[in-house]
Amino acid sequence: MSTQSTSTFDGFADWTARKDAGRKLLAPVRCLGFWSAVVLPLVLFPMMVSGLAGEYFPLFAALVVANLAGAVLGRDYNRD
């Protein structure tokens, strides 16, 4: 009769490996989110000042949403 013996350390090692892989996969997303949150206000502010925000409101709204999404996605960028 054989019994399957799994160690809790094996499960922890698997979990740790998956967590590290997830961090590596999310790194480019966080980088892009962070830098978009930095750069987009440089476009949004002149649009508001020049009055183009009213003329191109759907574009302006999309850029604001992209800025907010970038701020949320990039909040943990390069945090060691």
Side-chain angles (χ1 to χ4, degrees):
M1 187 184 256
S2 67
T3 60
Q4 187 176 10
S5 173
T6 59
S7 171
T8 57
F9 294 114
D10 292 338
F12 182 73
D14 290 340
W15 177 77
T16 304
R18 279 184 266 147
K19 186 176 177 185
D20 290 340
R23 284 183 182 163
K24 288 179 184 177
L25 290 174
L26 285 177
V29 174
R30 288 187 176 136
C31 178
L32 182 64
F34 173 81
W35 285 109
S36 69
V38 169
V39 172
L40 280 175
L42 299 175
V43 175
L44 292 172
F45 184 71
M47 278 184 81
M48 289 187 307
V49 171
S50 67
L52 290 175
E55 291 181 35
Y56 299 103
F57 184 73
L59 174 64
F60 180 75
L63 289 174
V64 169
V65 169
N67 191 15
L68 292 173
V72 170
L73 290 173
R75 71 178 180 264
D76 290 333
Y77 173 67
N78 210 12
R79 190 179 284 187
D80 294 342

